[in-house]
Amino acid sequence: MNTTTRISAAERLGRAFGRGWRAYARGERRVSNWLASKGMPLATAAVLVWMVKLAALGVLLYTAFWLALLLLFVMVVAWMARNADSGEALPEPEWRNGPAGFGLYTYDGFRIDPHVEDD
């Protein structure tokens, strides 16, 4: 019997996410320190980093908006195509008065029921 416990996929994914987040924070701190080493005040460097973050978020939201609008347009077109009448179904013949008297006529006016002409 094996006594070692194995980590779950969720824990493995969480650890990978944590490593990625730490790497991002380390890179952000490195950029901020590099800007400070070039003579920029730390407050200005922090504001610049936040501006870059907000610009990236704005681009992401802008792209997501247009993709959602495109998806909505495709869904509306698909719904309209599904509900559109294809035009293949002709109207049913109906009983009515026509040029040849009362009878069963098609949509274009032809009598289709048998009738006697000499009445």
Side-chain angles (χ1 to χ4, degrees):
M1 188 163 120
N2 195 355
T3 59
T4 59
T5 58
R6 299 183 187 273
I7 62 171
S8 67
E11 186 177 354
R12 199 173 304 122
L13 183 66
R15 286 182 181 185
F17 181 73
R19 280 192 304 271
W21 183 260
R22 282 192 309 269
Y24 169 76
R26 222 178 8 257
E28 187 177 297
R29 206 171 27 247
R30 201 175 322 142
V31 167
S32 182
N33 289 337
W34 178 77
L35 288 172
S37 73
K38 296 296 181 189
M40 184 179 288
L42 278 177
T44 308
V47 168
L48 186 64
V49 168
W50 271 101
M51 286 175 53
V52 169
K53 283 184 196 180
L54 288 176
L57 180 65
V59 168
L60 179 69
L61 290 175
Y62 180 79
T63 305
F65 170 76
W66 285 110
L67 285 176
L69 199 63
L70 180 67
L71 179 65
L72 181 68
F73 177 73
V74 167
M75 287 174 54
V76 167
V77 168
W79 178 78
M80 288 174 57
R82 182 185 62 151
N83 291 337
D85 187 23
S86 62
E88 294 177 14
L90 297 176
E92 294 290 322
E94 61 182 13
W95 292 95
R96 63 183 168 105
N97 281 322
F102 183 79
L104 189 62
Y105 286 88
T106 61
Y107 71 97
D108 54 353
F110 291 107
R111 187 168 177 180
I112 57 175
D113 65 322
H115 61 280
V116 180
E117 291 283 337
D118 56 350
D119 281 341

